[in-house]
Short mmCIF file of all heavy atoms in Angstrom, two decimals:
data_model
loop_
_atom_site.label_atom_id
_atom_site.label_comp_id
_atom_site.label_asym_id
_atom_site.label_seq_id
_atom_site.Cartn_x
_atom_site.Cartn_y
_atom_site.Cartn_z
N MET A 1 -10.41 16.30 0.62
CA MET A 1 -10.43 15.32 1.67
C MET A 1 -10.02 13.97 1.09
O MET A 1 -10.45 13.60 0.00
CB MET A 1 -11.82 15.22 2.28
CG MET A 1 -11.94 14.04 3.23
SD MET A 1 -13.43 13.97 4.23
CE MET A 1 -14.64 13.45 3.05
N THR A 2 -9.18 13.25 1.82
CA THR A 2 -8.76 11.91 1.41
C THR A 2 -9.36 10.89 2.36
O THR A 2 -9.27 11.04 3.57
CB THR A 2 -7.23 11.79 1.42
OG1 THR A 2 -6.68 12.71 0.48
CG2 THR A 2 -6.78 10.38 1.05
N ILE A 3 -9.96 9.87 1.80
CA ILE A 3 -10.46 8.75 2.59
C ILE A 3 -9.31 7.77 2.74
O ILE A 3 -8.72 7.35 1.75
CB ILE A 3 -11.66 8.09 1.88
CG1 ILE A 3 -12.77 9.10 1.68
CG2 ILE A 3 -12.13 6.86 2.65
CD1 ILE A 3 -13.86 8.65 0.73
N ARG A 4 -8.97 7.42 3.98
CA ARG A 4 -7.85 6.52 4.24
C ARG A 4 -8.36 5.28 4.97
O ARG A 4 -9.22 5.39 5.83
CB ARG A 4 -6.80 7.20 5.11
CG ARG A 4 -6.04 8.29 4.42
CD ARG A 4 -5.00 8.91 5.37
NE ARG A 4 -4.11 9.83 4.72
CZ ARG A 4 -4.41 11.03 4.31
NH1 ARG A 4 -5.63 11.48 4.46
NH2 ARG A 4 -3.51 11.80 3.73
N GLY A 5 -7.77 4.13 4.64
CA GLY A 5 -8.14 2.91 5.33
C GLY A 5 -7.08 1.85 5.23
O GLY A 5 -6.36 1.77 4.24
N GLN A 6 -6.98 1.06 6.27
CA GLN A 6 -6.08 -0.09 6.28
C GLN A 6 -6.83 -1.26 5.67
O GLN A 6 -8.06 -1.34 5.77
CB GLN A 6 -5.65 -0.42 7.70
CG GLN A 6 -4.60 -1.49 7.78
CD GLN A 6 -4.10 -1.69 9.21
OE1 GLN A 6 -4.61 -1.11 10.15
NE2 GLN A 6 -3.09 -2.52 9.35
N LEU A 7 -6.10 -2.19 5.04
CA LEU A 7 -6.75 -3.36 4.48
C LEU A 7 -7.61 -4.02 5.55
O LEU A 7 -7.15 -4.24 6.66
CB LEU A 7 -5.72 -4.37 3.97
CG LEU A 7 -5.02 -4.02 2.67
CD1 LEU A 7 -3.95 -5.05 2.36
CD2 LEU A 7 -6.01 -3.93 1.52
N GLY A 8 -8.83 -4.34 5.23
CA GLY A 8 -9.74 -4.91 6.20
C GLY A 8 -9.64 -6.42 6.34
O GLY A 8 -10.23 -7.00 7.23
N GLN A 9 -8.89 -7.05 5.49
CA GLN A 9 -8.78 -8.50 5.53
C GLN A 9 -7.41 -8.89 6.09
O GLN A 9 -6.47 -8.13 6.02
CB GLN A 9 -8.97 -9.08 4.14
CG GLN A 9 -7.94 -8.55 3.16
CD GLN A 9 -8.48 -8.41 1.76
OE1 GLN A 9 -9.58 -7.93 1.58
NE2 GLN A 9 -7.72 -8.82 0.79
N ALA A 10 -7.34 -10.08 6.64
CA ALA A 10 -6.06 -10.58 7.15
C ALA A 10 -5.20 -10.99 5.96
O ALA A 10 -5.57 -11.85 5.18
CB ALA A 10 -6.29 -11.77 8.06
N CYS A 11 -4.08 -10.32 5.81
CA CYS A 11 -3.16 -10.63 4.71
C CYS A 11 -1.90 -11.23 5.29
O CYS A 11 -1.15 -10.55 5.99
CB CYS A 11 -2.82 -9.36 3.92
SG CYS A 11 -4.19 -8.76 2.95
N ASP A 12 -1.70 -12.50 5.03
CA ASP A 12 -0.54 -13.21 5.56
C ASP A 12 0.55 -13.23 4.50
O ASP A 12 0.49 -14.03 3.57
CB ASP A 12 -0.94 -14.62 5.96
CG ASP A 12 0.19 -15.36 6.65
OD1 ASP A 12 1.09 -14.70 7.20
OD2 ASP A 12 0.17 -16.60 6.62
N GLY A 13 1.49 -12.33 4.62
CA GLY A 13 2.61 -12.30 3.70
C GLY A 13 2.51 -11.20 2.67
O GLY A 13 1.43 -10.67 2.38
N LEU A 14 3.65 -10.86 2.13
CA LEU A 14 3.75 -9.76 1.19
C LEU A 14 2.94 -10.00 -0.09
O LEU A 14 2.30 -9.09 -0.60
CB LEU A 14 5.21 -9.48 0.85
CG LEU A 14 5.48 -8.29 -0.05
CD1 LEU A 14 4.88 -7.00 0.52
CD2 LEU A 14 6.97 -8.12 -0.28
N ALA A 15 2.94 -11.22 -0.59
CA ALA A 15 2.19 -11.50 -1.81
C ALA A 15 0.69 -11.25 -1.61
O ALA A 15 0.03 -10.67 -2.49
CB ALA A 15 2.42 -12.95 -2.26
N ALA A 16 0.16 -11.62 -0.45
CA ALA A 16 -1.26 -11.39 -0.17
C ALA A 16 -1.56 -9.90 -0.03
O ALA A 16 -2.59 -9.42 -0.50
CB ALA A 16 -1.66 -12.13 1.10
N ILE A 17 -0.64 -9.18 0.61
CA ILE A 17 -0.82 -7.72 0.76
C ILE A 17 -0.83 -7.06 -0.61
O ILE A 17 -1.71 -6.26 -0.92
CB ILE A 17 0.29 -7.13 1.66
CG1 ILE A 17 0.13 -7.62 3.10
CG2 ILE A 17 0.29 -5.60 1.60
CD1 ILE A 17 1.31 -7.30 4.00
N ARG A 18 0.16 -7.40 -1.43
CA ARG A 18 0.22 -6.81 -2.76
C ARG A 18 -1.00 -7.18 -3.59
O ARG A 18 -1.53 -6.35 -4.34
CB ARG A 18 1.49 -7.25 -3.47
CG ARG A 18 2.73 -6.60 -2.93
CD ARG A 18 3.93 -7.18 -3.60
NE ARG A 18 4.77 -6.12 -4.12
CZ ARG A 18 5.96 -6.33 -4.62
NH1 ARG A 18 6.43 -7.56 -4.71
NH2 ARG A 18 6.67 -5.33 -5.07
N GLY A 19 -1.46 -8.42 -3.47
CA GLY A 19 -2.63 -8.85 -4.21
C GLY A 19 -3.88 -8.07 -3.83
O GLY A 19 -4.64 -7.62 -4.68
N ALA A 20 -4.07 -7.88 -2.51
CA ALA A 20 -5.24 -7.13 -2.04
C ALA A 20 -5.16 -5.67 -2.47
O ALA A 20 -6.16 -5.09 -2.90
CB ALA A 20 -5.35 -7.25 -0.53
N LEU A 21 -3.97 -5.07 -2.36
CA LEU A 21 -3.82 -3.68 -2.78
C LEU A 21 -3.99 -3.54 -4.30
O LEU A 21 -4.51 -2.53 -4.78
CB LEU A 21 -2.48 -3.11 -2.33
CG LEU A 21 -2.36 -2.84 -0.83
CD1 LEU A 21 -0.94 -2.39 -0.48
CD2 LEU A 21 -3.37 -1.79 -0.37
N THR A 22 -3.57 -4.54 -5.05
CA THR A 22 -3.75 -4.52 -6.50
C THR A 22 -5.24 -4.52 -6.86
O THR A 22 -5.66 -3.82 -7.79
CB THR A 22 -3.02 -5.70 -7.16
OG1 THR A 22 -1.62 -5.56 -6.91
CG2 THR A 22 -3.27 -5.75 -8.66
N GLU A 23 -6.03 -5.29 -6.11
CA GLU A 23 -7.47 -5.27 -6.35
C GLU A 23 -8.02 -3.86 -6.14
O GLU A 23 -8.86 -3.40 -6.93
CB GLU A 23 -8.18 -6.24 -5.42
CG GLU A 23 -7.94 -7.69 -5.78
CD GLU A 23 -8.67 -8.64 -4.86
OE1 GLU A 23 -9.77 -8.31 -4.38
OE2 GLU A 23 -8.13 -9.74 -4.61
N TRP A 24 -7.58 -3.19 -5.09
CA TRP A 24 -8.01 -1.80 -4.87
C TRP A 24 -7.52 -0.90 -5.99
O TRP A 24 -8.25 -0.04 -6.48
CB TRP A 24 -7.50 -1.29 -3.52
CG TRP A 24 -8.37 -1.71 -2.39
CD1 TRP A 24 -8.16 -2.73 -1.51
CD2 TRP A 24 -9.62 -1.12 -2.02
NE1 TRP A 24 -9.20 -2.80 -0.62
CE2 TRP A 24 -10.10 -1.83 -0.90
CE3 TRP A 24 -10.37 -0.07 -2.52
CZ2 TRP A 24 -11.31 -1.50 -0.29
CZ3 TRP A 24 -11.56 0.26 -1.89
CH2 TRP A 24 -12.02 -0.47 -0.80
N ALA A 25 -6.26 -1.07 -6.39
CA ALA A 25 -5.69 -0.22 -7.44
C ALA A 25 -6.50 -0.34 -8.73
O ALA A 25 -6.68 0.65 -9.45
CB ALA A 25 -4.23 -0.60 -7.69
N ASN A 26 -7.01 -1.53 -9.00
CA ASN A 26 -7.79 -1.75 -10.22
C ASN A 26 -9.13 -1.02 -10.20
O ASN A 26 -9.74 -0.83 -11.25
CB ASN A 26 -8.01 -3.25 -10.44
CG ASN A 26 -6.74 -3.95 -10.83
OD1 ASN A 26 -5.80 -3.35 -11.34
ND2 ASN A 26 -6.68 -5.25 -10.57
N THR A 27 -9.60 -0.60 -9.03
CA THR A 27 -10.87 0.13 -8.95
C THR A 27 -10.67 1.64 -8.92
O THR A 27 -11.63 2.40 -9.03
CB THR A 27 -11.69 -0.27 -7.70
OG1 THR A 27 -11.00 0.14 -6.54
CG2 THR A 27 -11.94 -1.76 -7.67
N LEU A 28 -9.41 2.08 -8.75
CA LEU A 28 -9.12 3.51 -8.63
C LEU A 28 -8.69 4.11 -9.96
O LEU A 28 -8.08 3.44 -10.79
CB LEU A 28 -8.00 3.74 -7.61
CG LEU A 28 -8.27 3.25 -6.18
CD1 LEU A 28 -7.01 3.41 -5.34
CD2 LEU A 28 -9.43 4.02 -5.57
N ASP A 29 -9.00 5.37 -10.15
CA ASP A 29 -8.48 6.12 -11.28
C ASP A 29 -7.09 6.64 -10.90
O ASP A 29 -6.89 7.14 -9.79
CB ASP A 29 -9.39 7.31 -11.62
CG ASP A 29 -10.75 6.87 -12.12
OD1 ASP A 29 -10.82 5.84 -12.81
OD2 ASP A 29 -11.75 7.55 -11.80
N ASN A 30 -6.14 6.52 -11.80
CA ASN A 30 -4.77 7.02 -11.61
C ASN A 30 -4.13 6.52 -10.32
O ASN A 30 -3.64 7.32 -9.51
CB ASN A 30 -4.75 8.55 -11.66
CG ASN A 30 -5.32 9.09 -12.94
OD1 ASN A 30 -4.97 8.63 -14.02
ND2 ASN A 30 -6.24 10.04 -12.85
N PRO A 31 -4.07 5.20 -10.11
CA PRO A 31 -3.47 4.69 -8.88
C PRO A 31 -1.97 4.95 -8.81
O PRO A 31 -1.27 4.86 -9.83
CB PRO A 31 -3.77 3.19 -8.93
CG PRO A 31 -3.93 2.89 -10.38
CD PRO A 31 -4.51 4.13 -11.00
N THR A 32 -1.51 5.28 -7.63
CA THR A 32 -0.10 5.52 -7.37
C THR A 32 0.31 4.68 -6.16
O THR A 32 -0.35 4.71 -5.13
CB THR A 32 0.16 7.00 -7.06
OG1 THR A 32 -0.29 7.79 -8.15
CG2 THR A 32 1.64 7.27 -6.82
N TRP A 33 1.42 3.95 -6.30
CA TRP A 33 1.93 3.11 -5.22
C TRP A 33 3.02 3.86 -4.47
O TRP A 33 3.86 4.52 -5.08
CB TRP A 33 2.51 1.83 -5.78
CG TRP A 33 1.50 0.90 -6.35
CD1 TRP A 33 0.91 0.99 -7.58
CD2 TRP A 33 0.93 -0.23 -5.71
NE1 TRP A 33 0.01 -0.04 -7.75
CE2 TRP A 33 0.00 -0.80 -6.61
CE3 TRP A 33 1.11 -0.83 -4.47
CZ2 TRP A 33 -0.73 -1.94 -6.30
CZ3 TRP A 33 0.39 -1.97 -4.17
CH2 TRP A 33 -0.52 -2.51 -5.07
N THR A 34 3.02 3.76 -3.15
CA THR A 34 4.07 4.37 -2.34
C THR A 34 4.46 3.41 -1.22
O THR A 34 3.69 2.54 -0.81
CB THR A 34 3.61 5.69 -1.69
OG1 THR A 34 2.45 5.45 -0.90
CG2 THR A 34 3.30 6.75 -2.73
N THR A 35 5.68 3.57 -0.76
CA THR A 35 6.14 2.89 0.45
C THR A 35 6.80 3.93 1.34
O THR A 35 7.28 4.96 0.85
CB THR A 35 7.17 1.77 0.15
OG1 THR A 35 8.29 2.34 -0.53
CG2 THR A 35 6.56 0.67 -0.68
N ARG A 36 6.81 3.66 2.63
CA ARG A 36 7.53 4.54 3.54
C ARG A 36 8.01 3.72 4.73
O ARG A 36 7.37 2.76 5.13
CB ARG A 36 6.69 5.72 3.99
CG ARG A 36 5.57 5.42 4.93
CD ARG A 36 4.83 6.72 5.28
NE ARG A 36 3.78 6.48 6.22
CZ ARG A 36 3.86 6.76 7.52
NH1 ARG A 36 4.93 7.31 8.02
NH2 ARG A 36 2.84 6.50 8.32
N ARG A 37 9.15 4.12 5.23
CA ARG A 37 9.74 3.49 6.41
C ARG A 37 9.29 4.27 7.64
O ARG A 37 9.31 5.49 7.65
CB ARG A 37 11.27 3.51 6.31
CG ARG A 37 11.96 2.80 7.45
CD ARG A 37 13.45 2.68 7.19
NE ARG A 37 13.77 2.00 5.96
CZ ARG A 37 13.75 0.67 5.78
NH1 ARG A 37 13.38 -0.12 6.78
NH2 ARG A 37 14.06 0.13 4.62
N TYR A 38 8.85 3.54 8.66
CA TYR A 38 8.45 4.19 9.91
C TYR A 38 9.68 4.70 10.64
O TYR A 38 10.73 4.06 10.63
CB TYR A 38 7.70 3.23 10.83
CG TYR A 38 6.36 2.77 10.32
CD1 TYR A 38 5.92 1.48 10.54
CD2 TYR A 38 5.52 3.63 9.61
CE1 TYR A 38 4.68 1.05 10.10
CE2 TYR A 38 4.29 3.21 9.15
CZ TYR A 38 3.88 1.92 9.40
OH TYR A 38 2.66 1.50 8.95
N THR A 39 9.58 5.84 11.29
CA THR A 39 10.65 6.39 12.10
C THR A 39 10.56 5.78 13.50
O THR A 39 9.50 5.79 14.11
CB THR A 39 10.52 7.92 12.19
OG1 THR A 39 10.53 8.46 10.88
CG2 THR A 39 11.64 8.53 13.00
N GLY A 40 11.67 5.23 13.98
CA GLY A 40 11.71 4.67 15.32
C GLY A 40 11.06 3.30 15.44
O GLY A 40 10.80 2.82 16.54
N TYR A 41 10.77 2.67 14.31
CA TYR A 41 10.16 1.34 14.32
C TYR A 41 10.74 0.55 13.16
O TYR A 41 10.96 1.10 12.08
CB TYR A 41 8.64 1.46 14.19
CG TYR A 41 7.92 0.14 14.07
CD1 TYR A 41 7.76 -0.67 15.17
CD2 TYR A 41 7.43 -0.29 12.84
CE1 TYR A 41 7.11 -1.90 15.07
CE2 TYR A 41 6.78 -1.51 12.73
CZ TYR A 41 6.62 -2.31 13.84
OH TYR A 41 5.99 -3.52 13.73
N ASP A 42 10.96 -0.72 13.35
CA ASP A 42 11.58 -1.56 12.34
C ASP A 42 10.52 -2.10 11.37
O ASP A 42 10.09 -3.24 11.46
CB ASP A 42 12.31 -2.72 13.02
CG ASP A 42 13.31 -3.38 12.10
OD1 ASP A 42 13.68 -2.76 11.09
OD2 ASP A 42 13.70 -4.51 12.40
N GLY A 43 10.06 -1.26 10.48
CA GLY A 43 9.04 -1.65 9.52
C GLY A 43 8.58 -0.44 8.73
O GLY A 43 9.24 0.60 8.72
N GLY A 44 7.44 -0.57 8.10
CA GLY A 44 6.94 0.54 7.29
C GLY A 44 5.56 0.24 6.76
O GLY A 44 4.81 -0.53 7.34
N GLN A 45 5.26 0.84 5.61
CA GLN A 45 3.93 0.70 5.05
C GLN A 45 3.99 0.77 3.53
O GLN A 45 4.86 1.40 2.95
CB GLN A 45 3.05 1.79 5.67
CG GLN A 45 2.19 2.54 4.78
CD GLN A 45 1.40 3.66 5.47
OE1 GLN A 45 1.20 4.63 4.80
NE2 GLN A 45 0.99 3.57 6.70
N ILE A 46 3.05 0.09 2.90
CA ILE A 46 2.85 0.16 1.47
C ILE A 46 1.41 0.65 1.26
O ILE A 46 0.52 0.29 2.03
CB ILE A 46 3.08 -1.20 0.77
CG1 ILE A 46 3.01 -1.07 -0.75
CG2 ILE A 46 2.16 -2.28 1.32
CD1 ILE A 46 3.45 -2.32 -1.50
N ALA A 47 1.22 1.50 0.27
CA ALA A 47 -0.11 2.07 0.05
C ALA A 47 -0.36 2.29 -1.44
O ALA A 47 0.57 2.43 -2.22
CB ALA A 47 -0.24 3.41 0.78
N VAL A 48 -1.62 2.32 -1.79
CA VAL A 48 -2.04 2.70 -3.13
C VAL A 48 -3.04 3.85 -2.95
O VAL A 48 -3.91 3.80 -2.10
CB VAL A 48 -2.64 1.52 -3.94
CG1 VAL A 48 -3.88 0.96 -3.30
CG2 VAL A 48 -2.88 1.91 -5.37
N THR A 49 -2.83 4.91 -3.74
CA THR A 49 -3.68 6.09 -3.67
C THR A 49 -4.23 6.38 -5.06
O THR A 49 -3.52 6.22 -6.05
CB THR A 49 -2.88 7.32 -3.18
OG1 THR A 49 -2.36 7.03 -1.88
CG2 THR A 49 -3.74 8.56 -3.10
N GLY A 50 -5.46 6.80 -5.11
CA GLY A 50 -6.08 7.15 -6.38
C GLY A 50 -7.40 7.86 -6.13
O GLY A 50 -7.67 8.32 -5.02
N THR A 51 -8.21 7.93 -7.16
CA THR A 51 -9.50 8.61 -7.07
C THR A 51 -10.61 7.61 -7.35
O THR A 51 -10.50 6.79 -8.28
CB THR A 51 -9.57 9.76 -8.09
OG1 THR A 51 -8.46 10.63 -7.88
CG2 THR A 51 -10.86 10.54 -7.94
N TYR A 52 -11.66 7.69 -6.56
CA TYR A 52 -12.84 6.85 -6.77
C TYR A 52 -14.08 7.74 -6.65
O TYR A 52 -14.28 8.37 -5.61
CB TYR A 52 -12.89 5.72 -5.73
CG TYR A 52 -14.07 4.79 -5.94
CD1 TYR A 52 -14.04 3.85 -6.95
CD2 TYR A 52 -15.18 4.87 -5.12
CE1 TYR A 52 -15.12 2.99 -7.15
CE2 TYR A 52 -16.26 4.02 -5.31
CZ TYR A 52 -16.22 3.08 -6.33
OH TYR A 52 -17.27 2.24 -6.53
N MET A 53 -14.82 7.83 -7.73
CA MET A 53 -16.02 8.66 -7.77
C MET A 53 -15.74 10.08 -7.28
O MET A 53 -16.49 10.67 -6.51
CB MET A 53 -17.15 8.02 -6.95
CG MET A 53 -17.60 6.68 -7.54
SD MET A 53 -18.92 5.88 -6.63
CE MET A 53 -20.26 7.02 -6.92
N GLY A 54 -14.61 10.62 -7.73
CA GLY A 54 -14.25 11.99 -7.42
C GLY A 54 -13.61 12.21 -6.07
O GLY A 54 -13.24 13.33 -5.74
N GLN A 55 -13.44 11.16 -5.27
CA GLN A 55 -12.85 11.29 -3.94
C GLN A 55 -11.46 10.67 -3.93
O GLN A 55 -11.25 9.58 -4.48
CB GLN A 55 -13.71 10.58 -2.88
CG GLN A 55 -15.07 11.18 -2.69
CD GLN A 55 -15.00 12.57 -2.07
OE1 GLN A 55 -14.28 12.80 -1.11
NE2 GLN A 55 -15.73 13.50 -2.65
N SER A 56 -10.52 11.33 -3.27
CA SER A 56 -9.19 10.78 -3.10
C SER A 56 -9.25 9.65 -2.07
O SER A 56 -9.85 9.79 -1.01
CB SER A 56 -8.23 11.87 -2.63
OG SER A 56 -6.96 11.33 -2.40
N VAL A 57 -8.64 8.51 -2.40
CA VAL A 57 -8.68 7.33 -1.54
C VAL A 57 -7.26 6.77 -1.38
O VAL A 57 -6.52 6.66 -2.35
CB VAL A 57 -9.57 6.22 -2.16
CG1 VAL A 57 -9.55 4.95 -1.34
CG2 VAL A 57 -10.99 6.73 -2.36
N THR A 58 -6.89 6.43 -0.14
CA THR A 58 -5.62 5.76 0.14
C THR A 58 -5.91 4.51 0.95
O THR A 58 -6.55 4.57 1.99
CB THR A 58 -4.66 6.67 0.94
OG1 THR A 58 -4.36 7.82 0.15
CG2 THR A 58 -3.37 5.93 1.28
N ILE A 59 -5.44 3.36 0.46
CA ILE A 59 -5.55 2.09 1.17
C ILE A 59 -4.12 1.64 1.47
O ILE A 59 -3.26 1.64 0.59
CB ILE A 59 -6.26 1.01 0.33
CG1 ILE A 59 -7.61 1.51 -0.19
CG2 ILE A 59 -6.41 -0.29 1.12
CD1 ILE A 59 -8.62 1.83 0.88
N TRP A 60 -3.86 1.24 2.71
CA TRP A 60 -2.50 0.92 3.11
C TRP A 60 -2.46 -0.34 3.98
O TRP A 60 -3.48 -0.80 4.46
CB TRP A 60 -1.88 2.09 3.88
CG TRP A 60 -2.60 2.38 5.19
CD1 TRP A 60 -3.70 3.17 5.35
CD2 TRP A 60 -2.27 1.88 6.47
NE1 TRP A 60 -4.07 3.17 6.66
CE2 TRP A 60 -3.21 2.39 7.38
CE3 TRP A 60 -1.27 1.03 6.94
CZ2 TRP A 60 -3.18 2.09 8.74
CZ3 TRP A 60 -1.23 0.73 8.30
CH2 TRP A 60 -2.18 1.27 9.17
N GLU A 61 -1.25 -0.85 4.15
CA GLU A 61 -1.02 -1.96 5.07
C GLU A 61 0.40 -1.86 5.59
O GLU A 61 1.32 -1.44 4.88
CB GLU A 61 -1.22 -3.30 4.35
CG GLU A 61 -1.11 -4.52 5.24
CD GLU A 61 -2.14 -4.52 6.38
OE1 GLU A 61 -3.33 -4.24 6.17
OE2 GLU A 61 -1.72 -4.81 7.51
N GLY A 62 0.58 -2.23 6.84
CA GLY A 62 1.89 -2.22 7.46
C GLY A 62 2.75 -3.36 6.95
O GLY A 62 2.25 -4.41 6.55
N LEU A 63 4.07 -3.12 6.96
CA LEU A 63 5.04 -4.12 6.52
C LEU A 63 6.09 -4.34 7.59
O LEU A 63 6.46 -3.41 8.29
CB LEU A 63 5.74 -3.66 5.24
CG LEU A 63 4.90 -3.41 4.00
CD1 LEU A 63 5.77 -2.85 2.89
CD2 LEU A 63 4.22 -4.68 3.55
N THR A 64 6.59 -5.55 7.68
CA THR A 64 7.75 -5.81 8.53
C THR A 64 8.99 -5.25 7.84
O THR A 64 8.95 -4.90 6.64
CB THR A 64 7.94 -7.32 8.75
OG1 THR A 64 8.27 -7.92 7.49
CG2 THR A 64 6.70 -7.98 9.34
N ALA A 65 10.08 -5.19 8.56
CA ALA A 65 11.33 -4.70 7.96
C ALA A 65 11.73 -5.57 6.77
O ALA A 65 12.18 -5.06 5.74
CB ALA A 65 12.43 -4.66 9.01
N GLY A 66 11.58 -6.88 6.89
CA GLY A 66 11.92 -7.78 5.79
C GLY A 66 11.05 -7.57 4.57
O GLY A 66 11.54 -7.57 3.44
N GLN A 67 9.75 -7.38 4.79
CA GLN A 67 8.84 -7.13 3.67
C GLN A 67 9.17 -5.79 3.01
O GLN A 67 9.16 -5.68 1.79
CB GLN A 67 7.39 -7.13 4.15
CG GLN A 67 6.89 -8.48 4.56
CD GLN A 67 5.56 -8.42 5.26
OE1 GLN A 67 5.23 -7.43 5.93
NE2 GLN A 67 4.76 -9.47 5.12
N LEU A 68 9.48 -4.79 3.83
CA LEU A 68 9.82 -3.48 3.30
C LEU A 68 11.08 -3.56 2.45
O LEU A 68 11.16 -2.97 1.37
CB LEU A 68 9.99 -2.47 4.43
CG LEU A 68 10.14 -1.01 4.04
CD1 LEU A 68 8.91 -0.51 3.29
CD2 LEU A 68 10.37 -0.15 5.28
N ALA A 69 12.07 -4.31 2.90
CA ALA A 69 13.30 -4.49 2.13
C ALA A 69 13.01 -5.20 0.81
O ALA A 69 13.55 -4.84 -0.23
CB ALA A 69 14.32 -5.28 2.94
N GLU A 70 12.12 -6.20 0.85
CA GLU A 70 11.76 -6.93 -0.36
C GLU A 70 11.04 -6.02 -1.36
O GLU A 70 11.32 -6.06 -2.55
CB GLU A 70 10.86 -8.11 0.00
CG GLU A 70 10.63 -9.07 -1.14
CD GLU A 70 9.81 -10.29 -0.71
OE1 GLU A 70 9.87 -10.68 0.46
OE2 GLU A 70 9.13 -10.84 -1.58
N VAL A 71 10.16 -5.19 -0.87
CA VAL A 71 9.47 -4.23 -1.75
C VAL A 71 10.47 -3.25 -2.34
O VAL A 71 10.44 -2.96 -3.53
CB VAL A 71 8.36 -3.46 -0.97
CG1 VAL A 71 7.85 -2.29 -1.78
CG2 VAL A 71 7.23 -4.40 -0.62
N GLY A 72 11.40 -2.77 -1.52
CA GLY A 72 12.43 -1.85 -2.00
C GLY A 72 13.29 -2.49 -3.08
O GLY A 72 13.60 -1.88 -4.09
N ASP A 73 13.63 -3.78 -2.88
CA ASP A 73 14.41 -4.48 -3.88
C ASP A 73 13.63 -4.61 -5.18
O ASP A 73 14.17 -4.47 -6.27
CB ASP A 73 14.81 -5.88 -3.37
CG ASP A 73 15.85 -5.81 -2.27
OD1 ASP A 73 16.49 -4.75 -2.10
OD2 ASP A 73 16.01 -6.82 -1.55
N ALA A 74 12.33 -4.88 -5.07
CA ALA A 74 11.49 -5.03 -6.26
C ALA A 74 11.39 -3.70 -7.01
O ALA A 74 11.44 -3.66 -8.22
CB ALA A 74 10.10 -5.52 -5.88
N VAL A 75 11.28 -2.60 -6.26
CA VAL A 75 11.19 -1.28 -6.89
C VAL A 75 12.52 -0.96 -7.58
O VAL A 75 12.53 -0.49 -8.71
CB VAL A 75 10.83 -0.20 -5.84
CG1 VAL A 75 10.99 1.19 -6.42
CG2 VAL A 75 9.41 -0.42 -5.35
N ARG A 76 13.63 -1.24 -6.92
CA ARG A 76 14.94 -0.97 -7.52
C ARG A 76 15.17 -1.81 -8.77
O ARG A 76 15.71 -1.33 -9.76
CB ARG A 76 16.05 -1.20 -6.50
CG ARG A 76 16.19 -0.06 -5.49
CD ARG A 76 17.46 -0.21 -4.68
NE ARG A 76 17.40 -1.34 -3.77
CZ ARG A 76 16.83 -1.32 -2.57
NH1 ARG A 76 16.26 -0.23 -2.13
NH2 ARG A 76 16.83 -2.39 -1.80
N SER A 77 14.74 -3.08 -8.74
CA SER A 77 14.99 -3.93 -9.90
C SER A 77 14.08 -3.57 -11.07
O SER A 77 14.41 -3.82 -12.21
CB SER A 77 14.80 -5.40 -9.52
OG SER A 77 13.44 -5.67 -9.21
N ALA A 78 12.93 -2.95 -10.79
CA ALA A 78 12.02 -2.54 -11.84
C ALA A 78 12.44 -1.23 -12.48
O ALA A 78 12.01 -0.89 -13.57
CB ALA A 78 10.60 -2.42 -11.30
N ALA A 79 13.27 -0.47 -11.79
CA ALA A 79 13.69 0.85 -12.28
C ALA A 79 14.69 0.74 -13.41
O ALA A 79 15.31 -0.25 -13.63
CB ALA A 79 14.29 1.66 -11.15
#
C-alpha cells in the first residue's frame, strides 16, 4: 500500500514547491523524483516517492505548463 498526499501548504511558485518536496525527500528512505504531464490538461505534477517506517509514501503537487517545462529543462540540463 502506498500513502499518497498533496502538499498541505500553499506553495507559491516552483521554488517553493521544490523546497517543500525536498523537505519530504529528506525524511524518506530512497527518495525518487518523478514528473508527469497531465493528459488533456495544460500542466502536470511533480512528486517524490520513498519509504517511511516501512511504508511507501508519495507526496506530490500540481504544476502549471510553464513550471512543468522549467522542471523538464532542469532535468535535461542535469543529465
Side-chain angles (χ1 to χ4, degrees):
M1 170 170 74
T2 298
I3 300 167
R4 290 180 171 74
Q6 186 174 7
L7 285 175
Q9 60 214 44
C11 289
D12 186 23
L14 184 56
I17 292 169
R18 287 175 128 172
L21 288 175
T22 297
E23 288 181 33
W24 277 101
N26 290 336
T27 66
L28 300 174
D29 294 325
N30 303 312
T32 302
W33 291 80
T34 58
T35 59
R36 71 180 182 103
R37 183 172 303 282
Y38 294 143
T39 302
Y41 175 75
D42 197 18
Q45 135 183 147
I46 186 170
V48 62
T49 300
T51 304
Y52 183 77
M53 296 180 67
Q55 295 292 314
S56 177
V57 176
T58 298
I59 307 296
W60 64 275
E61 185 60 46
L63 299 175
T64 65
Q67 290 170 330
L68 189 61
E70 190 176 332
V71 168
D73 290 343
V75 170
R76 282 191 291 277
S77 67

